[in-house]
Amino acid sequence: QVQLVESGGGLVQAGGSLSLSCAASARTSGFYTMAWFRQAPGKEREFVASIWRSDGSAYYANSLKDRFTISRAYSRQTMSLQMNSLKPEDTAVYYCAAGSPEFGRIENAESYAYWGQGTQVTVSS
């Protein structure tokens, strides 16, 4: 069982930056693929980025890869998401997730067994 706690959300103006963190209660490196998802009001949860469990390779939603950077601090069991050039459409609740998806399913929320409670990111225009 892994517990995940997100932090770092808040209100930012368009064009600004935010950094989100996810703290895991147990070791995840080498065991679980870690990911960020987001869900805007009235929309389905969507994939943002992930770090593959075996080699730490990072993967991004195509529309976000130029502005978002995912990273992992193995020793501290934390994962981060640096978000730059934020847009109002980035407004959502951002969730940290851990699981063992097949490589072709890293973008599917159903592939992740553990979820944090979410942190709100609001980007004003």
Side-chain angles (χ1 to χ4, degrees):
Q1 190 79 4
V2 178
Q3 294 181 332
L4 304 171
V5 179
E6 303 97 335
S7 61
L11 174 65
V12 64
Q13 289 188 333
S17 298
L18 273 178
S19 180
L20 305 182
S21 293
C22 173
S25 62
R27 179 182 175 184
T28 57
S29 61
F31 294 97
Y32 296 110
T33 292
M34 302 293 292
W36 289 98
F37 286 77
R38 68 184 185 182
Q39 188 166 20
K43 295 187 176 181
E44 293 186 354
R45 193 167 296 191
E46 67 171 342
F47 173 79
V48 174
S50 68
I51 291 184
W52 187 245
R53 58 184 175 272
S54 60
D55 63 2
S57 296
Y59 300 91
Y60 298 90
N62 284 336
S63 61
L64 301 175
K65 61 183 178 181
D66 293 334
R67 299 187 294 119
F68 289 13
T69 302
I70 191 172
S71 61
R72 192 172 194 171
Y74 292 95
S75 61
R76 293 180 290 169
Q77 297 174 181
T78 60
M79 177 179 65
S80 299
L81 182 70
Q82 177 66 38
M83 305 184 293
N84 299 325
S85 302
L86 284 163
K87 305 175 181 180
E89 51 264 42
D90 294 319
T91 295
V93 177
Y94 284 71
Y95 296 91
C96 172
S100 302
E102 297 178 1
F103 183 76
R105 297 186 60 83
I106 58 174
E107 299 187 11
N108 294 91
E110 297 79 7
S111 298
Y112 295 84
Y114 305 105
W115 292 84
Q117 81 287 351
T119 186
Q120 177 71 46
V121 171
T122 303
V123 184
S124 62
S125 57

